[in-house]
Amino acid sequence: MLIREATTEDWPAIWPFFHRIVTEGETFTYPADLTEDQGREWWLLTAPFRTVVAVGDAGDVIGTAKMNRNHMGNGSHIASASYMVDPEHFGQGVGRALCTYTVDWARAEGYRAMQFNAVVESNVHAVKLYESVGFEVIGTLPEGFNHPKLGYVGLHIMHLAL
């Protein structure tokens, strides 16, 4: 798989799985009625931040990640990232490749750590992946996420020192 810079021309390939994931409402705190224009604006970041796509062997976009600082000002030394993998490609290492890529980016950019602010605790595959890369759960907001099937579940804050 190839990971490369995302362009606006990639958005038509990202939007279908992005929309599906957001609409299902199980892993992101985005509103379920997010429009395509809002999604594009929120996801396709400009420099100094980045958005990348994972491209499969057939040349199709199978995942995406965005990388940015977590806070501004005196907190701007901490990076963050978000990931979406086309559900048709779950379990194929796409998420791991994107996560590793973003950690490498944050190190190269001189960030001191990475923090994920809102990892849904019931998203056990993501939690396990992040922990395998070295992230730790440093806190959980009880009932911070209203899961459409499970009801209120916690939101983890996860951290990785770089």
Side-chain angles (χ1 to χ4, degrees):
M1 132 188 27
L2 168 72
I3 296 177
R4 64 163 172 77
E5 206 70 35
T7 69
T8 55
E9 289 77 30
D10 292 313
W11 185 250
I14 297 169
W15 174 246
F17 66 85
F18 180 102
H19 185 251
R20 175 179 171 186
I21 291 166
V22 170
T23 302
E24 287 174 353
E26 296 183 12
T27 56
F28 274 81
T29 59
Y30 292 172
D33 62 351
L34 187 72
T35 68
E36 184 173 359
D37 289 341
Q38 289 170 319
R40 182 177 42 250
E41 183 179 329
W42 290 6
W43 197 261
L44 295 180
L45 303 180
T46 58
F49 310 125
R50 296 184 63 202
T51 302
V52 296
V53 291
V55 179
D57 294 338
D60 51 334
V61 174
I62 58 176
T64 181
K66 66 176 187 158
M67 301 155 272
N68 50 278
R69 68 176 165 247
N70 196 43
H71 297 289
M72 298 186 331
N74 290 344
S76 63
H77 57 284
I78 309 297
S80 192
S82 297
Y83 315 95
M84 287 198 185
V85 175
D86 183 337
E88 303 301 318
H89 296 278
F90 281 174
Q92 298 176 9
V94 179
R96 176 172 302 282
L98 288 166
C99 188
T100 301
Y101 186 96
T102 63
V103 169
D104 291 344
W105 169 83
R107 281 191 179 109
E109 291 295 310
Y111 288 97
R112 296 180 52 85
M114 285 188 79
Q115 177 180 317
F116 301 150
N117 300 321
V119 180
V120 179
E121 72 179 345
S122 60
N123 189 357
V124 294
H125 296 293
V127 173
K128 182 178 175 182
L129 167 62
Y130 303 153
E131 288 176 334
S132 76
V133 174
F135 284 85
E136 296 178 276
V137 174
I138 60 171
T140 302
L141 176 62
E143 297 187 347
F145 187 82
N146 189 5
H147 192 284
K149 296 175 184 166
L150 304 174
Y152 291 101
V153 298
L155 278 178
H156 292 320
I157 300 168
M158 300 189 75
H159 176 265
L160 172 67
L162 299 174

